[in-house]
Amino acid sequence: MSTISIDRVKRSFDRSFDSYHEAASQQALIAQQLVARLSEIGAPEHFHRGFEIGCGTGHLTQALNKCFSFSSLTLNDLVPAASRTATAAAAHFLPGDARDIKWPDSPDLIASASTIQWTNAPKKLLNRMAHALAPGGWLAITGFGPRHYCELTDLGSSAQAPGLCEPHVLADAVGHAGAGEFDILDVGAECHRLWFDTPKHALRHLRRTGVNAGTTNTWTRASFARFYDSYVQRFGCTRGVPLTYQPTWIIARKLL
Protein backbone atom coordinates (compact mmCIF):
# COMPACT_ATOMS: atom_id res chain seq x y z
CA MET A 1 0.00 0.00 0.00
CA SER A 2 1.30 3.45 -0.86
CA THR A 3 1.68 6.25 1.66
CA ILE A 4 1.11 9.94 0.96
CA SER A 5 1.72 12.82 3.31
CA ILE A 6 -1.38 14.74 4.26
CA ASP A 7 0.38 17.97 3.29
CA ARG A 8 0.84 16.64 -0.22
CA VAL A 9 -2.85 15.78 -0.49
CA LYS A 10 -3.76 19.23 0.82
CA ARG A 11 -1.53 20.99 -1.73
CA SER A 12 -2.90 18.95 -4.61
CA PHE A 13 -6.54 19.68 -3.82
CA ASP A 14 -5.77 23.29 -2.99
CA ARG A 15 -4.30 23.76 -6.49
CA SER A 16 -7.28 22.12 -8.17
CA PHE A 17 -10.03 23.59 -5.98
CA ASP A 18 -11.38 26.00 -8.60
CA SER A 19 -11.51 23.36 -11.34
CA TYR A 20 -12.63 20.41 -9.21
CA HIS A 21 -16.37 20.98 -9.04
CA GLU A 22 -16.89 20.91 -12.80
CA ALA A 23 -14.26 18.27 -13.56
CA ALA A 24 -15.23 15.78 -10.85
CA SER A 25 -18.36 14.49 -12.56
CA GLN A 26 -17.95 10.98 -11.19
CA GLN A 27 -17.52 12.19 -7.63
CA ALA A 28 -20.65 14.31 -8.06
CA LEU A 29 -22.62 11.29 -9.27
CA ILE A 30 -21.30 9.15 -6.41
CA ALA A 31 -22.42 11.77 -3.87
CA GLN A 32 -25.88 12.04 -5.43
CA GLN A 33 -26.32 8.27 -5.45
CA LEU A 34 -25.24 7.99 -1.82
CA VAL A 35 -27.83 10.55 -0.72
CA ALA A 36 -30.56 8.98 -2.84
CA ARG A 37 -29.84 5.58 -1.34
CA LEU A 38 -29.76 7.03 2.18
CA SER A 39 -33.24 8.44 1.62
CA GLU A 40 -34.56 5.25 0.03
CA ILE A 41 -33.39 3.15 2.96
CA GLY A 42 -35.43 5.25 5.36
CA ALA A 43 -33.24 7.97 6.85
CA PRO A 44 -35.28 10.73 8.52
CA GLU A 45 -35.97 13.94 6.65
CA HIS A 46 -34.44 15.98 9.48
CA PHE A 47 -31.18 15.53 11.41
CA HIS A 48 -30.29 17.44 14.56
CA ARG A 49 -26.53 17.46 14.05
CA GLY A 50 -24.95 16.61 10.70
CA PHE A 51 -21.20 16.23 10.20
CA GLU A 52 -19.58 15.88 6.78
CA ILE A 53 -15.93 14.91 6.45
CA GLY A 54 -14.09 16.14 3.34
CA CYS A 55 -16.73 18.50 1.97
CA GLY A 56 -14.52 19.91 -0.79
CA THR A 57 -16.46 22.00 -3.28
CA GLY A 58 -19.81 20.72 -2.04
CA HIS A 59 -21.05 17.85 -4.21
CA LEU A 60 -22.23 15.86 -1.18
CA THR A 61 -23.19 18.97 0.81
CA GLN A 62 -25.53 20.14 -1.94
CA ALA A 63 -27.10 16.71 -2.34
CA LEU A 64 -27.66 16.39 1.42
CA ASN A 65 -29.25 19.84 1.67
CA LYS A 66 -31.63 19.06 -1.19
CA CYS A 67 -32.89 15.91 0.50
CA PHE A 68 -32.60 16.58 4.25
CA SER A 69 -32.79 19.43 6.74
CA PHE A 70 -30.47 20.02 9.70
CA SER A 71 -30.68 21.86 12.99
CA SER A 72 -26.92 22.27 12.64
CA LEU A 73 -24.46 21.14 9.99
CA THR A 74 -20.68 21.05 10.36
CA LEU A 75 -18.42 20.64 7.32
CA ASN A 76 -14.79 19.58 7.49
CA ASP A 77 -12.02 19.77 4.92
CA LEU A 78 -8.24 20.00 4.69
CA VAL A 79 -8.38 22.84 2.17
CA PRO A 80 -9.16 26.30 3.63
CA ALA A 81 -11.00 27.32 0.45
CA ALA A 82 -13.69 24.77 1.35
CA SER A 83 -14.93 27.30 3.88
CA ARG A 84 -16.78 28.76 0.88
CA THR A 85 -18.78 25.53 0.69
CA ALA A 86 -19.76 25.91 4.33
CA THR A 87 -20.73 29.55 3.86
CA ALA A 88 -22.95 28.68 0.90
CA ALA A 89 -24.62 25.92 2.93
CA ALA A 90 -25.05 28.09 6.05
CA ALA A 91 -22.93 25.52 7.88
CA HIS A 92 -20.09 25.68 10.38
CA PHE A 93 -16.65 25.01 8.88
CA LEU A 94 -14.17 22.83 10.75
CA PRO A 95 -10.76 22.94 9.01
CA GLY A 96 -8.02 20.34 9.30
CA ASP A 97 -7.22 16.65 9.16
CA ALA A 98 -10.33 14.78 10.32
CA ARG A 99 -8.15 12.20 12.04
CA ASP A 100 -6.75 14.76 14.46
CA ILE A 101 -9.29 17.53 15.07
CA LYS A 102 -12.08 17.58 17.64
CA TRP A 103 -15.43 16.58 16.12
CA PRO A 104 -18.90 17.86 16.94
CA ASP A 105 -20.49 16.03 19.87
CA SER A 106 -22.79 13.10 19.04
CA PRO A 107 -23.82 13.85 15.43
CA ASP A 108 -26.82 11.87 14.26
CA LEU A 109 -25.49 11.86 10.68
CA ILE A 110 -21.85 11.41 9.67
CA ALA A 111 -21.39 11.51 5.91
CA SER A 112 -18.39 11.53 3.62
CA ALA A 113 -17.93 11.00 -0.11
CA SER A 114 -14.71 10.20 -1.99
CA THR A 115 -12.49 11.10 0.96
CA ILE A 116 -11.55 8.13 3.15
CA GLN A 117 -9.26 6.67 0.48
CA TRP A 118 -6.81 9.50 1.19
CA THR A 119 -6.03 8.22 4.67
CA ASN A 120 -3.53 5.42 5.15
CA ALA A 121 -5.89 3.82 7.69
CA PRO A 122 -9.50 4.11 6.52
CA LYS A 123 -10.61 1.45 9.02
CA LYS A 124 -9.32 3.59 11.89
CA LEU A 125 -11.22 6.63 10.63
CA LEU A 126 -14.41 4.59 10.20
CA ASN A 127 -13.93 3.25 13.71
CA ARG A 128 -13.83 6.81 15.05
CA MET A 129 -16.98 7.66 13.10
CA ALA A 130 -18.76 4.69 14.64
CA HIS A 131 -17.75 5.73 18.15
CA ALA A 132 -18.70 9.39 17.58
CA LEU A 133 -22.15 8.74 16.16
CA ALA A 134 -25.14 9.29 18.44
CA PRO A 135 -27.32 6.26 19.28
CA GLY A 136 -29.82 5.87 16.45
CA GLY A 137 -27.57 7.94 14.17
CA TRP A 138 -26.75 7.28 10.53
CA LEU A 139 -23.46 6.71 8.74
CA ALA A 140 -23.17 7.23 4.95
CA ILE A 141 -19.69 6.86 3.47
CA THR A 142 -18.13 6.30 0.06
CA GLY A 143 -14.53 5.55 -0.81
CA PHE A 144 -12.86 3.68 -3.64
CA GLY A 145 -11.79 0.09 -4.15
CA PRO A 146 -8.54 -1.46 -5.40
CA ARG A 147 -9.67 -1.48 -9.04
CA HIS A 148 -9.87 2.32 -8.99
CA TYR A 149 -7.66 3.79 -11.77
CA CYS A 150 -6.46 0.27 -12.53
CA GLU A 151 -5.20 1.33 -15.96
CA LEU A 152 -2.71 3.70 -14.36
CA THR A 153 -1.66 1.12 -11.79
CA ASP A 154 -1.09 -1.47 -14.51
CA LEU A 155 1.16 1.01 -16.28
CA GLY A 156 3.26 1.55 -13.15
CA SER A 157 1.80 4.87 -11.99
CA SER A 158 2.13 5.82 -8.32
CA ALA A 159 -1.02 7.98 -8.39
CA GLN A 160 -3.09 5.44 -6.46
CA ALA A 161 -4.57 6.67 -3.17
CA PRO A 162 -3.32 4.82 -0.07
CA GLY A 163 -6.67 3.80 1.44
CA LEU A 164 -8.40 1.89 -1.34
CA CYS A 165 -10.39 -0.97 0.17
CA GLU A 166 -13.09 -3.49 -0.61
CA PRO A 167 -16.66 -3.09 0.72
CA HIS A 168 -16.23 -5.84 3.30
CA VAL A 169 -13.43 -3.81 4.88
CA LEU A 170 -15.84 -0.91 5.35
CA ALA A 171 -18.45 -3.21 6.87
CA ASP A 172 -15.93 -4.87 9.18
CA ALA A 173 -14.61 -1.50 10.37
CA VAL A 174 -18.10 -0.36 11.34
CA GLY A 175 -19.46 -3.67 12.56
CA HIS A 176 -16.44 -4.42 14.75
CA ALA A 177 -15.95 -0.92 16.08
CA GLY A 178 -16.93 -1.85 19.62
CA ALA A 179 -19.09 1.28 19.73
CA GLY A 180 -22.47 -0.37 20.05
CA GLU A 181 -24.21 -2.54 17.52
CA PHE A 182 -24.81 -1.32 14.00
CA ASP A 183 -27.37 -2.28 11.43
CA ILE A 184 -25.46 -2.44 8.14
CA LEU A 185 -28.15 -1.35 5.69
CA ASP A 186 -26.25 -1.16 2.42
CA VAL A 187 -22.69 -1.94 1.39
CA GLY A 188 -21.23 -2.51 -2.05
CA ALA A 189 -19.02 -1.52 -4.95
CA GLU A 190 -19.27 -1.04 -8.68
CA CYS A 191 -16.92 -0.35 -11.56
CA HIS A 192 -17.54 2.05 -14.40
CA ARG A 193 -15.38 3.86 -16.88
CA LEU A 194 -14.82 7.34 -18.18
CA TRP A 195 -13.59 7.54 -21.75
CA PHE A 196 -11.08 10.04 -23.12
CA ASP A 197 -9.82 10.78 -26.59
CA THR A 198 -6.19 10.30 -25.58
CA PRO A 199 -4.09 9.49 -22.49
CA LYS A 200 -3.19 13.17 -22.35
CA HIS A 201 -6.87 14.03 -21.86
CA ALA A 202 -7.12 11.44 -19.06
CA LEU A 203 -4.14 12.97 -17.26
CA ARG A 204 -5.61 16.44 -17.69
CA HIS A 205 -8.81 15.20 -16.05
CA LEU A 206 -6.82 13.88 -13.08
CA ARG A 207 -4.94 17.15 -12.70
CA ARG A 208 -8.15 19.21 -12.74
CA THR A 209 -9.65 17.08 -9.97
CA GLY A 210 -6.49 16.99 -7.84
CA VAL A 211 -6.65 13.22 -7.42
CA ASN A 212 -3.10 12.72 -8.69
CA ALA A 213 -1.69 13.67 -5.27
CA GLY A 214 0.05 10.31 -4.99
CA THR A 215 2.01 10.45 -8.21
CA THR A 216 5.77 10.73 -8.08
CA ASN A 217 6.17 10.71 -11.85
CA THR A 218 8.42 13.35 -13.34
CA TRP A 219 7.72 13.34 -17.03
CA THR A 220 10.35 13.70 -19.71
CA ARG A 221 9.41 13.79 -23.35
CA ALA A 222 10.63 10.20 -23.73
CA SER A 223 8.90 8.82 -20.60
CA PHE A 224 5.62 10.50 -21.48
CA ALA A 225 5.81 9.07 -25.02
CA ARG A 226 6.31 5.58 -23.58
CA PHE A 227 3.41 6.03 -21.18
CA TYR A 228 1.18 7.37 -23.95
CA ASP A 229 1.98 4.53 -26.34
CA SER A 230 1.57 1.85 -23.66
CA TYR A 231 -1.79 3.27 -22.56
CA VAL A 232 -3.12 3.24 -26.12
CA GLN A 233 -1.73 -0.20 -26.93
CA ARG A 234 -3.04 -1.88 -23.79
CA PHE A 235 -6.38 -0.14 -23.31
CA GLY A 236 -7.24 1.87 -26.40
CA CYS A 237 -10.14 1.12 -28.71
CA THR A 238 -12.44 2.97 -31.07
CA ARG A 239 -13.98 4.84 -28.08
CA GLY A 240 -10.59 6.17 -26.99
CA VAL A 241 -8.91 5.20 -23.72
CA PRO A 242 -10.69 4.32 -20.46
CA LEU A 243 -10.17 5.32 -16.86
CA THR A 244 -11.87 3.03 -14.34
CA TYR A 245 -13.66 4.29 -11.25
CA GLN A 246 -14.57 1.84 -8.49
CA PRO A 247 -16.68 3.55 -5.83
CA THR A 248 -17.37 1.60 -2.65
CA TRP A 249 -19.97 2.57 -0.06
CA ILE A 250 -21.55 1.76 3.26
CA ILE A 251 -24.75 3.01 4.89
CA ALA A 252 -25.34 1.95 8.47
CA ARG A 253 -27.41 2.91 11.50
CA LYS A 254 -26.25 2.79 15.10
CA LEU A 255 -28.77 0.98 17.26
CA LEU A 256 -30.39 2.77 20.18
Side-chain angles (χ1 to χ4, degrees):
M1 179 181 292
S2 63
T3 59
I4 305 172
S5 75
I6 202 67
D7 286 341
R8 188 171 183 173
V9 174
K10 181 179 178 180
R11 288 195 302 270
S12 183
F13 282 103
D14 188 50
R15 286 193 300 266
S16 66
F17 192 85
D18 289 336
S19 60
Y20 180 92
H21 200 77
E22 180 182 358
S25 58
Q26 292 303 300
Q27 288 87 342
L29 180 61
I30 289 164
Q32 292 161 10
Q33 290 175 336
L34 179 68
V35 170
R37 187 63 180 141
L38 183 62
S39 179
E40 290 169 1
I41 285 175
E45 294 181 357
H46 179 79
F47 290 100
H48 294 290
R49 290 178 297 277
F51 180 40
E52 180 187 345
I53 295 172
C55 67
T57 61
H59 287 309
L60 180 58
T61 309
Q62 292 168 7
L64 286 169
N65 274 329
K66 286 181 180 178
C67 196
F68 304 106
S69 62
F70 300 87
S71 297
S72 69
L73 178 62
T74 299
L75 307 183
N76 155 259
D77 203 86
L78 275 174
V79 178
S83 62
R84 306 200 305 253
T85 302
T87 299
H92 173 66
F93 184 60
L94 186 60
D97 185 343
R99 296 172 298 179
D100 302 327
I101 58 176
K102 178 177 170 53
W103 291 6
D105 291 335
S106 300
D108 53 347
L109 173 68
I110 298 178
S112 182
S114 304
T115 295
I116 63 169
Q117 72 277 2
W118 291 112
T119 173
N120 296 328
K123 290 179 67 174
K124 186 175 181 180
L125 182 58
L126 282 163
N127 186 280
R128 185 180 178 187
M129 294 178 191
H131 278 274
L133 199 66
W138 293 73
L139 190 68
I141 308 295
T142 73
F144 290 101
R147 291 287 297 163
H148 190 58
Y149 297 161
C150 57
E151 297 85 0
L152 301 180
T153 303
D154 289 350
L155 292 172
S157 172
S158 59
Q160 191 177 55
L164 304 179
C165 54
E166 298 281 8
H168 70 83
V169 176
L170 306 181
D172 288 346
V174 173
H176 299 159
E181 293 187 8
F182 274 80
D183 190 2
I184 307 295
L185 301 170
D186 195 18
V187 62
E190 62 185 17
C191 281
H192 46 91
R193 288 174 161 182
L194 283 184
W195 290 90
F196 299 90
D197 291 339
T198 70
K200 185 175 182 179
H201 288 88
L203 292 180
R204 184 179 301 159
H205 165 76
L206 293 175
R207 185 171 62 251
R208 293 186 68 215
T209 58
V211 298
N212 57 344
T215 185
T216 57
N217 295 81
T218 301
W219 296 112
T220 64
R221 181 173 296 181
S223 65
F224 181 75
R226 288 194 297 271
F227 170 83
Y228 189 107
D229 291 344
S230 295
Y231 206 137
V232 172
Q233 290 170 8
R234 293 187 62 176
F235 306 109
C237 65
T238 56
R239 294 186 64 181
V241 294
L243 185 63
T244 297
Y245 279 75
Q246 190 192 18
T248 58
W249 65 86
I250 183 169
I251 298 174
R253 190 179 187 194
K254 194 171 186 176
L255 302 183
L256 295 170

